[in-house]
Amino acid sequence: MLHIGAIMSDDEGLSWRFLDEMLRAPAHLTDIGYNNGFLAGGYGDFCVVPDRAGQYFYLAFSSYVADEAAQGIAMARFPVATRDHPASELEVWSNSGWVPAAGRLPAPLWPIRRGWRHIDPDAFWGPAIHFNRQLDAFVMLLNHTAGGFHNMLQEGIYVSVTRTPDDPASWGTPMRLVAGGAWYPQAIGLTAGSGDSFIDGPARFFMAGHSAWEIEFAWTSSPERKEHVLEATKSLYYSLFGDRHAAPW
Protein backbone atom coordinates (compact mmCIF):
# COMPACT_ATOMS: atom_id res chain seq x y z
CA MET A 1 0.00 0.00 0.00
CA LEU A 2 1.12 3.53 -0.75
CA HIS A 3 -0.09 6.67 1.05
CA ILE A 4 0.68 10.35 0.51
CA GLY A 5 1.39 12.75 3.37
CA ALA A 6 2.46 16.37 3.77
CA ILE A 7 5.38 17.84 5.70
CA MET A 8 6.53 21.46 6.01
CA SER A 9 9.83 23.22 6.64
CA ASP A 10 10.00 26.77 8.00
CA ASP A 11 13.80 26.98 7.80
CA GLU A 12 14.56 26.15 4.16
CA GLY A 13 14.77 22.41 4.72
CA LEU A 14 16.91 22.26 7.86
CA SER A 15 14.03 20.73 9.81
CA TRP A 16 10.59 19.40 8.95
CA ARG A 17 7.28 18.87 10.69
CA PHE A 18 4.46 16.55 9.78
CA LEU A 19 1.20 18.23 8.72
CA ASP A 20 -1.29 15.67 7.50
CA GLU A 21 -1.92 12.42 5.79
CA MET A 22 -3.27 13.70 2.49
CA LEU A 23 -4.40 10.62 0.58
CA ARG A 24 -5.00 7.05 1.74
CA ALA A 25 -6.80 4.64 -0.54
CA PRO A 26 -9.60 2.52 0.95
CA ALA A 27 -8.20 -0.66 2.52
CA HIS A 28 -10.71 -2.84 0.67
CA LEU A 29 -9.19 -1.69 -2.63
CA THR A 30 -5.89 -3.38 -1.82
CA ASP A 31 -5.25 -6.55 -3.81
CA ILE A 32 -2.35 -8.74 -2.71
CA GLY A 33 -2.92 -10.83 -5.82
CA TYR A 34 -1.46 -8.09 -8.04
CA ASN A 35 1.24 -9.49 -10.37
CA ASN A 36 2.95 -6.28 -11.52
CA GLY A 37 5.95 -7.00 -9.28
CA PHE A 38 5.82 -3.86 -7.13
CA LEU A 39 2.37 -2.68 -6.07
CA ALA A 40 -0.78 -3.99 -4.42
CA GLY A 41 -2.88 -0.81 -4.39
CA GLY A 42 -2.77 2.66 -2.88
CA TYR A 43 -1.74 6.11 -4.13
CA GLY A 44 1.81 7.30 -4.76
CA ASP A 45 4.46 8.43 -7.28
CA PHE A 46 3.29 12.05 -7.14
CA CYS A 47 4.35 15.66 -7.57
CA VAL A 48 3.00 19.04 -6.39
CA VAL A 49 2.96 22.41 -8.18
CA PRO A 50 1.25 25.74 -7.39
CA ASP A 51 -1.04 27.47 -9.87
CA ARG A 52 0.06 30.79 -11.32
CA ALA A 53 -2.34 32.78 -9.13
CA GLY A 54 -0.95 31.28 -5.94
CA GLN A 55 -4.37 30.02 -4.85
CA TYR A 56 -3.96 26.22 -4.99
CA PHE A 57 -1.35 23.52 -4.80
CA TYR A 58 -2.09 20.83 -7.37
CA LEU A 59 -1.09 17.27 -6.56
CA ALA A 60 -0.74 14.87 -9.50
CA PHE A 61 -0.49 11.27 -8.35
CA SER A 62 -0.66 7.67 -9.49
CA SER A 63 -3.67 5.60 -8.44
CA TYR A 64 -3.10 1.86 -8.16
CA VAL A 65 -6.34 0.91 -6.37
CA ALA A 66 -8.09 -2.35 -7.20
CA ASP A 67 -11.00 -0.53 -8.88
CA GLU A 68 -9.63 -0.24 -12.42
CA ALA A 69 -11.98 2.65 -13.20
CA ALA A 70 -9.95 4.70 -10.70
CA GLN A 71 -6.48 3.57 -11.85
CA GLY A 72 -4.13 5.95 -13.63
CA ILE A 73 -2.88 9.52 -13.28
CA ALA A 74 -5.19 11.50 -10.99
CA MET A 75 -5.34 15.04 -9.59
CA ALA A 76 -6.01 16.60 -6.20
CA ARG A 77 -5.71 20.16 -4.89
CA PHE A 78 -5.76 22.19 -1.69
CA PRO A 79 -5.63 25.93 -0.96
CA VAL A 80 -2.18 27.49 -0.55
CA ALA A 81 -3.52 29.38 2.48
CA THR A 82 -4.22 26.09 4.30
CA ARG A 83 -0.92 25.66 6.12
CA ASP A 84 -1.52 23.49 9.16
CA HIS A 85 -4.13 20.93 8.08
CA PRO A 86 -4.23 20.88 4.26
CA ALA A 87 -6.07 17.54 4.17
CA SER A 88 -9.13 19.23 5.65
CA GLU A 89 -9.65 21.13 2.38
CA LEU A 90 -8.25 18.58 -0.05
CA GLU A 91 -10.29 17.98 -3.20
CA VAL A 92 -9.90 15.30 -5.86
CA TRP A 93 -10.89 15.46 -9.49
CA SER A 94 -13.81 13.11 -10.07
CA ASN A 95 -16.42 12.45 -12.73
CA SER A 96 -18.41 15.22 -11.02
CA GLY A 97 -15.53 17.73 -11.07
CA TRP A 98 -13.69 18.84 -7.93
CA VAL A 99 -15.16 17.17 -4.84
CA PRO A 100 -14.00 16.76 -1.21
CA ALA A 101 -11.40 13.98 -1.14
CA ALA A 102 -12.72 12.12 1.91
CA GLY A 103 -14.33 8.87 0.83
CA ARG A 104 -14.04 9.63 -2.90
CA LEU A 105 -12.13 7.82 -5.63
CA PRO A 106 -10.42 9.93 -8.28
CA ALA A 107 -11.22 9.95 -11.98
CA PRO A 108 -8.03 9.28 -13.97
CA LEU A 109 -6.98 11.73 -16.66
CA TRP A 110 -6.52 8.90 -19.16
CA PRO A 111 -8.09 5.43 -18.87
CA ILE A 112 -5.66 2.57 -18.38
CA ARG A 113 -5.39 -0.05 -21.11
CA ARG A 114 -4.47 -2.96 -18.84
CA GLY A 115 -4.81 -2.88 -15.08
CA TRP A 116 -2.18 -3.06 -12.36
CA ARG A 117 -3.27 -6.53 -11.26
CA HIS A 118 -1.65 -8.02 -14.40
CA ILE A 119 1.97 -9.02 -14.92
CA ASP A 120 2.02 -6.59 -17.85
CA PRO A 121 -0.01 -3.47 -16.98
CA ASP A 122 -0.42 -0.87 -19.72
CA ALA A 123 -0.76 2.50 -17.99
CA PHE A 124 0.77 5.90 -17.33
CA TRP A 125 2.25 6.56 -13.89
CA GLY A 126 4.70 8.78 -12.01
CA PRO A 127 3.85 12.33 -13.22
CA ALA A 128 6.32 15.22 -12.95
CA ILE A 129 4.80 18.68 -13.61
CA HIS A 130 6.41 22.06 -14.12
CA PHE A 131 5.19 25.45 -15.33
CA ASN A 132 6.93 26.33 -18.59
CA ARG A 133 7.22 30.05 -19.15
CA GLN A 134 8.10 29.71 -22.85
CA LEU A 135 4.86 27.82 -23.44
CA ASP A 136 2.89 29.76 -20.83
CA ALA A 137 1.55 26.36 -19.88
CA PHE A 138 1.99 23.45 -17.48
CA VAL A 139 3.95 20.45 -18.72
CA MET A 140 3.59 16.91 -17.36
CA LEU A 141 6.22 14.22 -17.98
CA LEU A 142 4.97 10.65 -17.56
CA ASN A 143 6.24 7.11 -17.29
CA HIS A 144 4.42 4.54 -19.39
CA THR A 145 4.65 0.81 -18.76
CA ALA A 146 3.54 -1.85 -21.23
CA GLY A 147 4.62 -5.33 -22.23
CA GLY A 148 6.41 -6.12 -18.97
CA PHE A 149 6.73 -9.31 -16.97
CA HIS A 150 6.37 -8.64 -13.22
CA ASN A 151 8.67 -5.61 -13.65
CA MET A 152 6.73 -2.53 -14.85
CA LEU A 153 8.80 -2.44 -18.03
CA GLN A 154 9.32 1.13 -19.26
CA GLU A 155 7.76 1.37 -22.72
CA GLY A 156 8.49 5.08 -22.95
CA ILE A 157 8.31 8.58 -21.52
CA TYR A 158 5.48 10.88 -22.57
CA VAL A 159 4.53 14.55 -22.29
CA SER A 160 1.17 16.28 -21.84
CA VAL A 161 0.37 20.01 -21.66
CA THR A 162 -2.41 22.20 -20.27
CA ARG A 163 -2.88 25.96 -19.97
CA THR A 164 -4.36 25.61 -16.50
CA PRO A 165 -4.52 22.82 -13.91
CA ASP A 166 -7.94 24.11 -12.78
CA ASP A 167 -9.47 21.86 -15.43
CA PRO A 168 -7.75 18.45 -15.39
CA ALA A 169 -9.82 17.41 -18.42
CA SER A 170 -7.80 19.95 -20.44
CA TRP A 171 -4.55 17.97 -20.28
CA GLY A 172 -3.63 17.02 -23.85
CA THR A 173 -3.23 13.51 -25.20
CA PRO A 174 0.26 12.35 -24.14
CA MET A 175 2.95 12.38 -26.82
CA ARG A 176 5.96 10.10 -26.63
CA LEU A 177 9.35 11.76 -26.07
CA VAL A 178 11.48 8.71 -25.28
CA ALA A 179 11.28 5.15 -26.54
CA GLY A 180 12.22 2.92 -23.62
CA GLY A 181 14.26 4.90 -21.13
CA ALA A 182 14.35 4.74 -17.36
CA TRP A 183 11.77 5.56 -14.72
CA TYR A 184 11.00 9.02 -13.31
CA PRO A 185 11.53 11.60 -16.06
CA GLN A 186 12.12 15.14 -14.86
CA ALA A 187 13.01 18.52 -16.35
CA ILE A 188 15.03 21.00 -14.27
CA GLY A 189 15.50 24.58 -15.46
CA LEU A 190 18.91 26.13 -16.08
CA THR A 191 18.20 29.84 -15.52
CA ALA A 192 18.25 31.68 -12.20
CA GLY A 193 15.00 31.06 -10.34
CA SER A 194 14.20 27.91 -12.32
CA GLY A 195 13.94 24.46 -10.81
CA ASP A 196 11.86 21.31 -11.10
CA SER A 197 8.50 23.12 -10.88
CA PHE A 198 9.28 26.25 -12.96
CA ILE A 199 11.28 26.39 -16.20
CA ASP A 200 12.19 29.42 -18.28
CA GLY A 201 13.87 28.19 -21.46
CA PRO A 202 16.15 25.18 -21.86
CA ALA A 203 16.31 22.58 -19.09
CA ARG A 204 18.19 19.47 -18.14
CA PHE A 205 16.27 16.27 -18.86
CA PHE A 206 16.65 13.52 -16.25
CA MET A 207 15.75 9.84 -16.14
CA ALA A 208 16.24 7.84 -12.93
CA GLY A 209 18.17 10.76 -11.47
CA HIS A 210 20.70 10.95 -14.33
CA SER A 211 21.00 13.51 -17.13
CA ALA A 212 22.94 13.54 -20.41
CA TRP A 213 20.53 15.75 -22.34
CA GLU A 214 18.96 19.19 -22.51
CA ILE A 215 15.30 19.66 -23.39
CA GLU A 216 13.33 22.68 -24.60
CA PHE A 217 9.60 22.88 -25.27
CA ALA A 218 7.95 24.97 -28.00
CA TRP A 219 4.58 25.23 -29.69
CA THR A 220 4.45 24.20 -33.35
CA SER A 221 2.20 25.56 -36.08
CA SER A 222 2.44 22.34 -38.07
CA PRO A 223 -1.01 20.81 -38.71
CA GLU A 224 0.53 17.36 -38.35
CA ARG A 225 1.81 16.17 -35.01
CA LYS A 226 5.21 14.54 -35.46
CA GLU A 227 7.14 12.72 -32.79
CA HIS A 228 10.83 13.36 -32.28
CA VAL A 229 11.66 10.41 -30.09
CA LEU A 230 14.87 9.76 -28.19
CA GLU A 231 15.77 6.06 -28.44
CA ALA A 232 17.02 5.41 -24.90
CA THR A 233 18.12 1.80 -25.07
CA LYS A 234 19.60 -0.23 -22.26
CA SER A 235 23.04 -0.19 -23.89
CA LEU A 236 22.96 3.60 -24.37
CA TYR A 237 21.87 4.19 -20.78
CA TYR A 238 24.51 1.86 -19.36
CA SER A 239 27.23 3.42 -21.53
CA LEU A 240 26.38 6.84 -20.10
CA PHE A 241 25.64 6.05 -16.47
CA GLY A 242 26.58 2.45 -15.69
CA ASP A 243 24.17 -0.21 -14.55
CA ARG A 244 23.02 1.34 -11.26
CA HIS A 245 19.61 2.93 -10.59
CA ALA A 246 18.20 2.05 -14.00
CA ALA A 247 14.60 0.99 -14.58
CA PRO A 248 13.70 -2.48 -15.84
CA TRP A 249 14.25 -2.81 -19.56
Side-chain angles (χ1 to χ4, degrees), residues 135-222:
L135 298 183
D136 191 30
F138 290 82
V139 175
M140 181 190 300
L141 298 176
L142 300 159
N143 301 288
H144 180 247
T145 183
F149 188 76
H150 303 290
N151 63 354
M152 289 173 62
L153 180 73
Q154 186 85 330
E155 179 275 334
I157 292 169
Y158 288 69
V159 61
S160 177
V161 178
T162 185
R163 290 288 189 182
T164 172
D166 294 352
D167 179 11
S170 68
W171 285 98
T173 301
M175 290 180 57
R176 190 165 68 159
L177 291 179
V178 178
W183 293 346
Y184 299 114
Q186 190 177 29
I188 297 180
L190 298 174
T191 60
S194 293
D196 62 352
S197 61
F198 173 80
I199 290 175
D200 184 8
R204 295 296 302 186
F205 175 67
F206 285 79
M207 294 185 291
H210 300 301
S211 176
W213 308 272
E214 288 191 8
I215 190 168
E216 188 169 1
F217 300 91
W219 296 113
T220 176
S221 59
S222 171

Side-chain angles (χ1 to χ4, degrees), residues 78-103:
F78 60 93
V80 170
T82 307
R83 290 176 55 87
D84 293 326
H85 297 288
S88 65
E89 297 190 52
L90 186 71
E91 299 176 308
V92 294
W93 180 255
S94 74
N95 292 322
S96 303
W98 292 109
V99 296

Side-chain angles (χ1 to χ4, degrees), residues 217-234:
F217 300 91
W219 296 113
T220 176
S221 59
S222 171
E224 297 182 3
R225 189 180 79 174
K226 296 182 179 180
E227 292 186 348
H228 301 278
V229 176
L230 169 67
E231 298 283 345
T233 63
K234 177 179 179 179

Side-chain angles (χ1 to χ4, degrees), residues 47-52 57-58 128-133 137-139 186-189 193-200 203:
C47 68
V48 178
V49 292
D51 64 18
R52 299 306 293 162
F57 286 116
Y58 285 85
I129 300 177
H130 71 267
F131 178 76
N132 193 289
R133 189 167 137 180
F138 290 82
V139 175
Q186 190 177 29
I188 297 180
S194 293
D196 62 352
S197 61
F198 173 80
I199 290 175
D200 184 8

